[in-house]
Amino acid sequence: MSAGLALSGCSEMNTVMTDLQNSSTSAVASQSVPQVNKVSPKPTEKLDLVGLVGWFEDSCGFDNKSYTEGTQENLIGKRFDAFKETFMEERYTPESGYKAYVKPDYRKNLPAAINNVIQNISVVQDNQGVHYYVDFINATYRGYDLSRLELFYQPESDYIYDVLYFKNDNFVELKPIFKTTMDDLDNLRGGEFNVNSRSVMCYLGL
């Protein structure tokens, strides 16, 4: 999974994200990517985000299908990279160096369905690195309620990870469908479940 695949222009972003306009309960039950549906849900309805963050279960995007053009796994990865491009940005000043920020107009570049389930996006820059937080309302992953997505990177290093946070302890029932694989350096890649924090972490660095 690329840490920052840039997709230029709103039209390209819309092309890879339009099929997230609604989630299919039958697709969730069968553990497949939701089918195309361009009807936006009402703000009170839940939206399943497996079509956006499903690469977490595909060995954190390190399985061969994720790198194969035209596969569902590859499409999900492109969708997620396009999603990040809508709000992640940084600027440089000689006084303070690189400073991360949230693009103020990010909501204009997201499908209505995604906007409906995002409560807020914020960024914290500390001595560890940069933490982007996407806080959800009415968002699920294969039917399990999500609370937050964290995107972390340490500037000028390969220390990068993404974390999905769930609202309830039962998220551990998802563990059997999360795959692992060995990368080119013989490192085991896959989502790390943390019961205490109700989270699944994908380490994306080298």
Side-chain angles (χ1 to χ4, degrees):
M1 173 66 61
S2 169
L5 174 63
L7 294 179
S8 59
C10 296
S11 60
E12 290 185 67
M13 209 278 290
N14 288 334
T15 298
V16 296
M17 294 183 75
T18 48
D19 59 332
L20 284 175
Q21 295 299 312
N22 203 358
S23 60
S24 168
T25 54
S26 60
V28 172
S30 63
Q31 300 179 1
S32 61
V33 177
Q35 298 299 308
V36 173
N37 188 330
K38 297 184 179 180
V39 179
S40 298
K42 297 177 182 178
T44 55
E45 292 178 352
K46 290 186 177 181
L47 179 71
D48 201 277
L49 298 183
V50 69
L52 178 65
V53 291
W55 59 270
F56 268 79
E57 68 185 56
D58 295 323
S59 305
C60 293
F62 284 94
D63 65 302
N64 289 332
K65 286 185 178 180
S66 295
Y67 294 107
T68 304
E69 196 70 28
T71 63
Q72 288 284 12
E73 291 82 0
N74 182 259
L75 178 60
I76 289 174
K78 288 183 177 180
R79 244 185 243 134
F80 186 70
D81 287 330
F83 172 66
K84 291 188 295 183
E85 288 291 325
T86 64
F87 63 88
M88 295 178 71
E89 191 59 273
E90 61 182 18
R91 64 170 61 94
Y92 175 82
T93 62
E95 297 79 17
S96 57
Y98 287 100
K99 187 71 174 178
Y101 67 96
V102 178
K103 294 178 182 178
D105 61 347
Y106 73 88
R107 287 193 181 273
K108 294 192 302 183
N109 298 317
L110 289 174
I114 301 297
N115 268 321
N116 286 344
V117 297
I118 293 177
Q119 184 175 42
N120 184 53
I121 298 180
S122 59
V123 61
V124 174
Q125 196 160 347
D126 55 25
N127 57 5
Q128 290 184 323
V130 177
H131 309 256
Y132 278 90
Y133 298 108
V134 182
D135 292 307
F136 295 118
I137 49 174
N138 297 321
T140 64
Y141 186 93
R142 297 204 180 278
Y144 294 80
D145 290 328
L146 289 170
S147 62
R148 167 178 278 189
L149 168 68
E150 178 184 3
L151 311 172
F152 172 86
Y153 68 91
Q154 190 176 80
E156 300 180 15
S157 81
D158 62 1
Y159 186 33
I160 306 166
Y161 62 77
D162 292 350
V163 188
L164 274 179
Y165 292 92
F166 292 79
K167 289 186 177 181
N168 304 305
D169 293 339
N170 63 350
F171 84 100
V172 296
E173 296 171 3
L174 289 167
K175 194 170 184 178
I177 68 171
F178 274 65
K179 295 173 284 188
T180 59
T181 191
M182 303 298 291
D183 65 15
D184 294 339
L185 299 176
D186 290 330
N187 296 313
L188 185 66
R189 298 289 191 168
E192 298 180 19
F193 279 66
N194 187 316
V195 176
N196 293 330
S197 59
R198 295 174 179 166
S199 67
V200 182
M201 185 187 84
C202 279
Y203 176 70
L204 304 173
L206 298 178

